[in-house]
Amino acid sequence: MKKINYLIFLLAVGIFAQDEKKPKEYSIEQFYENTRIGGGQFSNDESKLLISSDESGIFNLYEITLDGKSKSAVTNSTEESFFAVDYVPNSEDIIYSADKGGNEIDHLYLLKPDGTSRDLTSGENEKANFAGWSGDKSTMYYLSNKRNPQFFDLYSMKIGTWEPEMIYENKEGYSVSDVSDSGKFLALSKPITTSENKLFLLNIENEEMTEISKPGFSYSPTGFSKDKTELYYTTNHGGEFSRLMSFNLDSKESEVLYETNWDVMYSSLSENDTYRVIAINEDGSNKLIMWENATKTPMELPDIKDGNIVSASFSDSEELLRLTVGTSRTPNNIYVYNLKTKELKKLTSTLNPEIDVNDLVSAEVVRYKSFDGLEIPAIYYKPLTATADNKKPALVWVHGGPGGQSRVGYFALIQYLANHGYAILAVNNRGSSGYGASFYKMDDKNHGEKDLQDVIYGKKWLESQDYIDKDQIGIIGGSYGGYMTMAAMTFEPEEFEVGVNIFGVTNWLRTLKSIPPYWESFKNALYEELGDPNTKDSIRLRKNSPLFHAENVKNPIMVLQGANDPRVLQVESDEIVEAVKANDVPVEYMVFPDEGHGFIKKENEIKAYRQILTFLDKYLRDEDVTMPEKSIKD
């Protein structure tokens, strides 16, 4: 009897407990059975939502009924991705946008219930952006560069006739940032640098222009009041972080509506200004607050377990709130919240049911000191099986920009790599947004220098973790992060064992001279931060361009490129690949003929990300895997 009791005791304290379940590894195909969604506009009768989804392999339009019982495809494109804009007021017609092969020349299309569509902005090189509906719902506003490819004018189209009428000719290179319901007032911004812009209020009827901004700060309009008395905007004037402001159109005075010790990203009002939502970028995560607008009385948002509310939008009746919710372990999902009944309904399930969310990695915010003592924030993904006795390889991930931010959220490639045993440290080097105005400006005209050291000190932080293999640390990044990857491989060739460059800049002189014409209003601001290739700045730009130092590369690299990329031309990647090959260094090269600056099509992402893992397993993990002998051109 004593023996039996002792056995029961041992079981109770867990001596005989089974080993913790080892997480299952999933294929890239399984990760891309997940679905990405966007949008979420209410239909006119508020019975359904219009969304964009890539469940077909590319983005198409879908409608979801608010009872969650039905989802139907509205379009069935197999070549180009279609992105939902909105329902046309008082009809079943839909506006959507699309480009060609990722060339970023977006057009606006009218889709009828019978499936026929019409290009409303049909100029061959015309780029058009939706700018809203008039207050009486009779007119669509949009921006177009058809008159001059460098600048965007404001047009209107009457619903039904759909004939364009220019209502503001933009000769000075402003950005039309907002339009009042009546179309009488415009909020115009003019970039000075990437961290400073001017904000103006224009009265179209009498052409009176009022500057709202003060020199040296950043401004972003967030809409006009329904009664046409106020313009709302965010600005970091008065502090390190952006706060929400109102500008009275009559008195020309501004006042603070909301501020905290993080950036206010945006704010929006319900149809009749009854409710306001404010989004805050809190240490790399979204935080939303909502209040009754007249009194600023806080309202409770629904509690969604493990959920981060990414965005929200009100129905016209002001009774329903669409919520887009995500986590670092799951793609975004769409919910609808009834403000009267407090009922919350989940309308989508985007995670592949074959994947157990507990096998994926939760993001963690960490901080480390750089070479000069500056604290660098980062988002960290630690493999579930990493221990001091089971050391893992690691990657430093660098975001795009310059001036972007790695944030807490779901990204299939990061979860795929972490699921296969790679630790990922997504650094927010100096120059990243979200951490104050001073931090944001710290990399101006020293790109590939101090910010690169921040990345290298991220590697040092990884080395200090006892479960990381110090001899198996690489670097990966896209766009500006691709540049940083190649900068590390050329300027600090001893630091990283491999580099993966996704759509990255390697020749600043060419990139800055060949920017798309529709970036003209932003060009001088870009030159102010990065340097003007037509001046003495060209000396530093050449010095900081990896292409001209490719002979330094000694460790394997992988380069991925979209053939239709208007920002980083394919010739840049062609040249860096050939230059590094001359060093007798392993180079893998993938060119995608139907992509631009970033991936849109699932089949391309699957192909690319599978190859990235194979590359890392061979050259970072030193596993015996087969790689193609030649460059891969898909």
Side-chain angles (χ1 to χ4, degrees), residues 374-445:
L374 181 68
E375 189 174 71
I376 304 298
I379 313 298
Y380 186 48
Y381 302 80
K382 177 186 174 182
L384 298 179
T385 56
T387 67
D389 296 324
N390 185 25
K391 295 182 185 294
K392 298 296 182 182
L395 294 164
V396 174
W397 178 282
V398 192
H399 62 66
Q405 183 188 26
S406 283
R407 311 189 73 229
V408 173
Y410 181 83
F411 184 19
L413 175 56
I414 286 181
Q415 285 293 349
Y416 174 56
L417 294 174
N419 179 245
H420 284 259
Y422 288 86
I424 310 287
L425 181 70
V427 301
N428 283 309
N429 50 272
R430 68 191 69 202
S432 301
S433 56
Y435 304 100
S438 299
F439 191 87
Y440 183 74
K441 291 186 272 192
M442 282 184 178
D443 68 341
D444 287 4
K445 293 192 177 178

Side-chain angles (χ1 to χ4, degrees), residues 495-511:
E495 291 291 344
F496 295 97
E497 295 302 308
V498 299
V500 179
N501 162 18
I502 308 171
F503 307 103
V505 175
T506 56
N507 179 352
W508 282 116
L509 294 173
R510 177 185 281 116
T511 295

